[in-house]
């Protein structure tokens, strides 16, 4: 009887200590994302893997799954909340469907004029406040990673707002981006990032908006005749982790992981502009897409055409938050 009781106790103890608090060797962190390895986000994930394993002395192993090999756009957040994957870096737009619409402020056209303004937001109290909103969904926000500013592409020239009329555009799942294209008379269609190339190739959609690095690494320039350099919007990511997983980690694991994330963030964001500049150069070299640069008057016409989006978005995002962003954009940068 006593032997059986001891065996049962040992079995129960073994079953109970399966979480990260056991400090297993190694603790596995599955880091899933939807872009290529040779993008700013892809390289940032690889840098985090390198530093996390180094700083924890091998107690943590990071498995990186790029290019939607583990989960697609619509699946990954649910997988994180269920604990099927520990870490993601979704774009800001992805939190709207979770009910955290405030992150859609990043999607407003022309709201972030430059990188310096962006840094003031993401590295300041405003950025911290947004990350705290994720707690209620079982998610911990760790960092903001850049991708860059977006350009418009299609198989027709996009110069004036009227050129967008009736064009089918692939968009991320964001009501703000949807409103942006509707303000131009376009037909926005939500689609997973991994499906965009084929959709452009087969004519399911006519165009899309993205950063130079995403356009190049996904070979979108090979199936789009024209790319207009608009810099109208920003794509950035929030590196997130399952909150329970993160909170249950012992301090001697979590602290070096936080250090690794801080350094990986600095690395990834430093890479972003270079990657986009290099991608633009390669797209030009390929000769497969014509790059269109807008004049000052053409740019102003685009801005004016998208102004109604702010009024429409205020009901979802909150006018107060929009005003905070605009205040940061207008205040002097060091």
């Amino acid at each position: 009887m006593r032997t059986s009781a001891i065996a049962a106790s040992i079995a129960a103890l073994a079953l109970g200590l399966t979480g990260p608090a056991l400090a297993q060797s190694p603790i596995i962190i599955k880091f899933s994302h939807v872009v290529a390895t040779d993008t700013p986000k892809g390289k940032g994930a690889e840098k985090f893997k390198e530093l996390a394993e180094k700083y924890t002395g091998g107690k943590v192993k990071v498995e990186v799954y790029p290019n939607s090999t583990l989960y697609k756009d619509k699946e990954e957040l649910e997988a994180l909340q269920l604990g099927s994957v520990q870490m993601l870096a979704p774009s800001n737009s992805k939190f709207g469907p979770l009910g955290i619409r405030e992150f859609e402020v990043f999607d407003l056209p022309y709201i972030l004029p430059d990188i310096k303004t962006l840094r003031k937001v993401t590295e300041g109290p405003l950025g911290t406040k947004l990350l705290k909103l994720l707690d209620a969904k079982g998610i911990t926000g760790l960092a903001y990673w850049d991708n860059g500013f977006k350009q418009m592409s299609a198989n027709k020239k996009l110069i004036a707002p009227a050129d967008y009329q009736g064009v089918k555009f692939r968009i991320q799942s964001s009501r703000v981006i949807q409103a942006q294209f509707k303000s131009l008379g376009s037909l926005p269609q939500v689609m997973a990032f991994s499906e965009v190339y084929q959709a452009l190739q087969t004519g399911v959609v006519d165009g899309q908006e993205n950063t130079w690095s995403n356009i190049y690494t996904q070979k979108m320039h090979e199936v789009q005749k024209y790319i207009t350099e608009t810099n109208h919007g920003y794509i950035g990511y929030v590196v997130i982790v399952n909150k329970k997983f993160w909170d249950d980690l012992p301090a001697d694991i979590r602290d070096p992981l936080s250090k690794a994330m801080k350094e990986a963030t600095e690395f990834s964001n430093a890479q972003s502009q270079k990657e986009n500049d290099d991608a633009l150069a390669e797209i030009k070299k390929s000769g497969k897409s014509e790059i269109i640069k807008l004049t000052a008057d053409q740019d102003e016409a685009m801005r004016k055409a998208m102004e109604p989006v702010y009024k429409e978005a205020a009901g979802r995002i909150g006018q107060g938050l929009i005003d905070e962003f605009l205040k940061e954009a207008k205040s002097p940068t060091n």
Side-chain angles (χ1 to χ4, degrees):
M1 286 287 291
R2 185 178 175 185
T3 303
S4 299
I6 292 172
S9 297
I10 292 171
L13 185 63
L15 287 170
L17 296 176
T18 56
L22 185 60
Q24 297 166 338
S25 234
I27 294 170
I28 304 297
I29 295 178
K30 293 181 180 178
F31 190 159
S32 173
H33 64 80
V34 301
V35 299
T37 301
D38 57 344
T39 58
K41 177 162 67 171
K43 290 184 177 180
E46 295 298 330
K47 176 61 71 172
F48 173 72
K49 168 183 169 64
E50 172 196 329
L51 296 175
E53 293 176 356
K54 174 184 174 182
Y55 292 156
T56 61
K59 292 179 182 178
V60 168
K61 181 183 178 185
V62 180
E63 298 176 353
V64 180
Y65 297 89
N67 264 330
S68 306
T69 51
L70 196 59
Y71 295 105
K72 292 185 179 181
D73 283 341
K74 293 181 180 179
E75 306 164 344
E76 61 177 14
L77 279 169
E78 183 181 3
L80 182 92
Q81 289 175 302
L82 293 172
S84 301
V85 62
Q86 288 71 46
M87 190 171 287
L88 305 172
S91 62
N92 296 306
S93 307
K94 300 297 191 302
F95 298 108
L98 277 186
I100 310 175
R101 299 169 178 173
E102 288 86 349
F103 279 91
E104 291 181 2
V105 70
F106 286 99
D107 293 333
L108 283 167
Y110 302 106
I111 197 166
L112 294 165
D114 50 46
I115 289 294
K116 283 187 176 180
T117 304
L118 171 68
R119 289 285 176 270
K120 285 170 60 185
V121 170
T122 58
E123 295 178 2
L126 192 47
T128 301
K129 181 170 78 172
L130 287 171
L131 291 182
K132 290 299 291 180
L133 297 175
L134 298 170
D135 290 355
K137 301 296 181 180
I139 297 169
T140 294
L142 298 179
Y144 291 94
W145 286 4
D146 292 347
N147 187 321
F149 289 93
K150 294 186 286 187
Q151 322 303 331
M152 298 284 198
S153 77
N155 283 323
K156 62 176 288 191
K157 289 187 177 183
L158 301 173
I159 298 171
D163 297 330
Y164 290 78
Q165 189 75 35
V167 179
K168 292 180 291 182
F169 268 90
R170 176 268 172 177
I171 66 166
Q172 300 180 67
S173 180
S174 165
R175 292 288 183 86
V176 174
I177 296 177
Q178 185 179 52
Q180 169 191 290
F181 281 104
K182 285 189 173 180
S183 73
L184 295 169
S186 302
L187 305 172
Q189 298 185 25
V190 175
M191 183 178 296
F193 183 76
S194 59
E195 299 169 7
V196 180
Y197 175 87
Q198 187 175 4
L200 292 170
Q201 185 182 45
T202 57
V204 172
V205 293
D206 306 312
Q208 59 86 49
E209 56 166 13
N210 239 304
T211 61
W212 292 117
S213 62
N214 277 355
I215 291 170
Y216 179 67
T217 57
Q218 296 295 316
K219 304 184 187 303
M220 296 176 194
H221 64 293
E222 296 183 359
V223 288
Q224 296 276 263
K225 292 180 181 177
Y226 304 99
I227 305 174
T228 305
E229 192 168 4
T230 51
N231 293 311
H232 64 282
Y234 166 78
I235 295 182
Y237 310 110
V238 184
V239 185
I240 57 176
V241 67
N242 178 283
K243 189 175 189 304
K244 185 178 187 308
F245 173 85
W246 189 254
D247 290 347
D248 285 350
L249 288 171
D252 66 338
I253 296 292
R254 189 169 55 245
D255 290 350
L257 288 179
S258 296
K259 179 184 177 184
M261 180 55 65
K262 183 177 184 297
E263 293 182 18
T265 298
E266 292 169 355
F267 169 83
S268 180
N269 289 343
Q271 286 285 308
S272 177
Q273 190 61 55
K274 181 182 183 303
E275 294 288 323
N276 281 299
D277 289 345
D278 290 349
L280 173 57
E282 290 298 323
I283 290 170
K284 286 179 177 177
K285 190 189 297 182
S286 76
K288 294 183 177 179
S289 283
E290 180 183 334
I291 310 296
I292 300 169
K293 290 183 74 72
L294 300 179
T295 66
D297 287 345
Q298 291 166 345
D299 179 72
E300 183 57 33
M302 287 295 295
R303 291 170 184 268
K304 190 170 183 179
M306 295 189 199
E307 279 179 2
V309 179
Y310 280 72
K311 185 176 181 181
E312 184 174 338
R316 285 179 58 79
I317 298 169
Q319 187 63 51
L321 181 60
I322 293 174
D323 289 342
E324 285 186 75
F325 262 66
L326 292 174
K327 183 180 177 182
E328 290 291 342
K330 291 174 183 175
S331 63
T333 53
N334 295 326

